[in-house]
Amino acid sequence: MSSALRLIFLGPPGAGKGTQAQKLCEERGLANLSSGDVLRREIRAGSPLGERVGRYVRKGELVPDEVMTAVMLETIAALPPGTGFVLDGFPRTVPQAESLDAALTRVGDPIHAVLDFEVEDATIIERIVHRRVCTQCGSWYNTRSLPPKVAGVCDRCGAPLAQRDDDREEVVRRRLTVYRTQTAPLIAYYERQGLLRAIDAAVPAEQVEQVVRQVVASLDRKG
Ligand code: AP5
């Protein structure tokens, strides 16, 4: 079994999974595997996969399990051996989690912990409506809580920022309903496995970051 860290970030849309995954992966040299980013890349490229999944993403519905599982298991398998990773947005249903468990068990590299980012709906909607994403490098901003130095321009690469198609309020509400019905059962699923770590994600991002660091440090100590 490889000692590289393997984590899942779980939580509703806008909980801050992507923000925290970006920080932790940079700090620890982990691969940042965001299922949403993988899908958006395919959609932008106009690939056959992108055409197949685009209508689900635009409506805030989940992409079918068999498609999503194949894509993410391939993404994990393509990592150099021994690479640690954060899975952000995958798995999102119990069948996806079961397929992931089976695949990781086969190679002897199980997940170390599942960080569950908890935030109530009103905060989520407020955050997502103000979110902006770099059209070039994918960095996240928030016009209220995490503005770029120059409005509309990425601090990291200077490219323009844009709003995601599925960040309109009515689509966000649908994504929340989908989360509560189809993804929230994973909380009990991972609790039963003793992997769940609840994180209060309603506090400022820097505070969430500190808690994430503490959780990761406790995993380091356990070896
Ligand atoms: P995906 O891209 O995974 O979206 P999501 O899970 O809905 O998550 P978000 O990216 O919206 O939020 P986040 O938690 O990463 O928050 P962020 O850090 O950006 O999925 C998109 C779609 O793809 C799905 O709807 C589905 O169609 C499809 N899909 C993806 N995975 C799938 C799967 N496994 N199966 C089937 N379909 C799948 O933060 C949000 C905002 O808040 C930002 O502006 C940020 O700056 C700000 N912020 C972050 N933290 C804080 C804080 N602590 N305080 C204040 N502001 C904060």
Side-chain angles (χ1 to χ4, degrees):
M1 181 166 78
S2 148
S3 62
L5 203 53
R6 290 174 294 276
L7 302 174
I8 291 173
F9 281 11
L10 184 66
K17 305 180 297 294
T19 303
Q20 298 302 329
Q22 187 174 310
K23 298 235 182 238
L24 183 69
C25 289
E26 280 175 9
E27 202 171 294
R28 304 283 302 227
L30 303 172
N32 186 354
L33 307 181
S34 155
S35 52
D37 283 352
V38 170
L39 296 175
R40 282 184 289 276
R41 264 199 301 278
E42 296 291 333
I43 294 168
R44 270 200 305 276
S47 70
L49 173 63
E51 294 203 355
R52 189 165 174 203
V53 301
R55 64 197 162 102
Y56 296 100
V57 175
R58 278 188 291 276
K59 284 194 288 187
E61 303 292 340
L62 292 186
V63 169
D65 284 339
E66 65 280 10
V67 176
M68 202 67 234
T69 301
V71 168
M72 292 309 289
L73 293 187
E74 271 173 34
T75 305
I76 295 170
L79 293 174
T83 307
F85 56 77
V86 172
L87 283 170
D88 164 15
F90 178 84
R92 238 176 170 98
T93 63
V94 171
Q96 289 182 17
E98 289 170 345
S99 302
L100 175 69
D101 277 353
L104 295 181
T105 303
R106 265 197 304 277
V107 292
D109 282 343
I111 290 295
H112 294 107
V114 177
L115 278 57
D116 175 29
F117 293 79
E118 298 178 345
V119 190
E120 78 285 358
D121 290 5
T123 307
I124 286 170
I125 290 168
E126 173 70 12
R127 280 185 189 176
I128 295 190
V129 167
H130 297 287
R131 171 168 53 190
R132 299 293 179 271
V133 185
C134 176
T135 50
Q136 189 67 40
C137 71
S139 294
W140 280 273
Y141 298 88
N142 188 288
T143 53
R144 296 230 169 134
S145 63
L146 197 68
K149 292 191 183 93
V150 178
V153 178
C154 180
D155 291 349
R156 289 173 181 232
C157 72
L161 305 181
Q163 185 172 37
R164 265 168 52 177
D165 285 347
D166 60 346
D167 278 355
R168 284 173 293 121
E169 186 168 337
E170 67 276 16
V171 183
V172 175
R173 289 192 186 279
R174 179 65 199 146
R175 284 161 62 197
L176 280 168
T177 303
V178 167
Y179 175 79
R180 304 282 174 219
T181 52
Q182 299 186 56
T183 306
L186 288 179
I187 296 172
Y189 177 92
Y190 286 119
E191 205 157 30
R192 279 195 296 276
Q193 296 188 14
L195 293 175
L196 200 76
R197 307 285 187 280
I199 309 263
D200 175 6
V203 297
E206 302 71 36
Q207 285 179 37
V208 181
E209 199 181 322
Q210 284 194 5
V211 177
V212 170
R213 274 208 202 100
Q214 284 163 11
V215 169
V216 171
S218 74
L219 297 171
D220 285 340
R221 282 195 296 276
K222 277 169 84 181

